[in-house]
């Protein structure tokens, strides 16, 4: 299993393109997916991990209307990524809106989160990390490692 770790600081270019950092990119393989993530992130999944999640979601009973909401919510946001010949990927307007990336928000943080990669608006990431750092010992003690 590929594991993703670390944080990398990048910018959206004028055409809303990004390049996944090489240290993270090599673990993604030739096909990978973007989807809406929690905390206004964009989650990046390997093809294998996405297939695993979609298979689990596909087992949801059609008659379970509440569960179907969750399936629809996640599946509708999943898109297979297409890189240009320079390894760049366009962030669609929908993904930018979810990540709260307005026209003046160009600073990004791309970080590994074990089984996926997250793309953050740097402003939101800084706020989130500041809160974690203020409670580092409490959070760390809950890891159980």
């Amino acid at each position: 299993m590929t594991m993703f770790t670390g944080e990398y600081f990048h910018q959206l270019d004028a055409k809303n393109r990004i390049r996944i950092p090489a240290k993270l990119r090599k673990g993604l393989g030739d096909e990978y997916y973007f989807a809406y993530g929690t905390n206004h992130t964009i989650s990046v999944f390997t093809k294998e991990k996405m297939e695993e999640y979609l298979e689990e979601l596909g087992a949801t009973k059609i008659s379970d209307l509440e569960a179907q909401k969750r399936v629809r919510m996640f599946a509708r946001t999943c898109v297979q990524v297409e890189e240009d010949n320079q390894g760049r990927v366009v962030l669609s307007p929908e993904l930018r809106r979810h990540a709260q990336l307005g026209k003046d928000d160009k600073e990004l943080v791309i970080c590994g989160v074990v089984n996926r990669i997250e793309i953050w608006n740097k402003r939101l990431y800084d706020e989130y990390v500041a809160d974690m750092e203020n409670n580092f010992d409490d959070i760390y003690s809950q890891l159980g490692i």
Side-chain angles (χ1 to χ4, degrees):
M1 176 176 99
T2 302
M3 293 201 216
F4 301 102
T5 60
E7 66 181 359
Y8 305 86
F9 300 90
H10 284 266
Q11 290 186 334
L12 274 174
D13 71 11
K15 295 182 180 179
N16 295 308
R17 296 175 300 195
I18 63 166
R19 185 176 286 121
I20 303 291
K23 288 183 178 181
L24 296 174
R25 176 66 190 87
K26 70 180 184 178
L28 287 174
D30 293 333
E31 295 180 44
Y32 58 100
Y33 290 80
F34 284 168
Y36 288 10
T38 59
N39 300 101
H40 298 285
T41 64
I42 299 167
S43 292
V44 185
F45 297 101
T46 63
K47 177 184 178 188
E48 295 76 23
K49 184 54 74 177
M50 181 58 75
E51 287 175 348
E52 176 186 323
Y53 288 155
L54 293 177
E55 188 172 321
E56 287 177 31
L57 292 174
T60 304
K61 291 182 179 182
I62 294 173
S63 60
D64 187 339
L65 301 182
E66 282 303 310
Q68 284 298 322
K69 285 182 185 177
R70 294 187 295 271
V71 172
R72 289 183 187 107
M73 180 195 67
F74 181 74
R76 74 180 183 83
T77 73
C78 301
V79 292
Q80 187 172 0
V81 174
E82 293 185 26
E83 294 181 351
D84 67 12
N85 56 5
Q86 294 183 5
R88 297 171 300 196
V89 178
V90 175
L91 292 185
S92 70
E94 295 81 14
L95 288 169
R96 291 193 319 273
R97 187 171 35 258
H98 175 73
Q100 296 187 355
L101 291 165
K103 70 176 189 167
D104 295 329
D105 292 312
K106 299 296 181 187
E107 301 289 321
L108 302 173
V109 179
I110 302 172
C111 54
V113 192
V114 186
N115 66 354
R116 69 185 181 282
I117 296 167
E118 290 181 338
I119 301 170
W120 286 77
N121 175 324
K122 186 177 183 310
R123 178 181 44 81
L124 297 177
Y125 183 80
D126 288 346
E127 292 169 7
Y128 187 83
V129 170
D131 182 56
M132 283 194 321
E133 288 176 354
N134 288 335
N135 299 302
F136 182 84
D137 289 345
D138 290 337
I139 294 168
Y140 194 86
S141 69
Q142 295 173 27
L143 286 174
I145 55 174

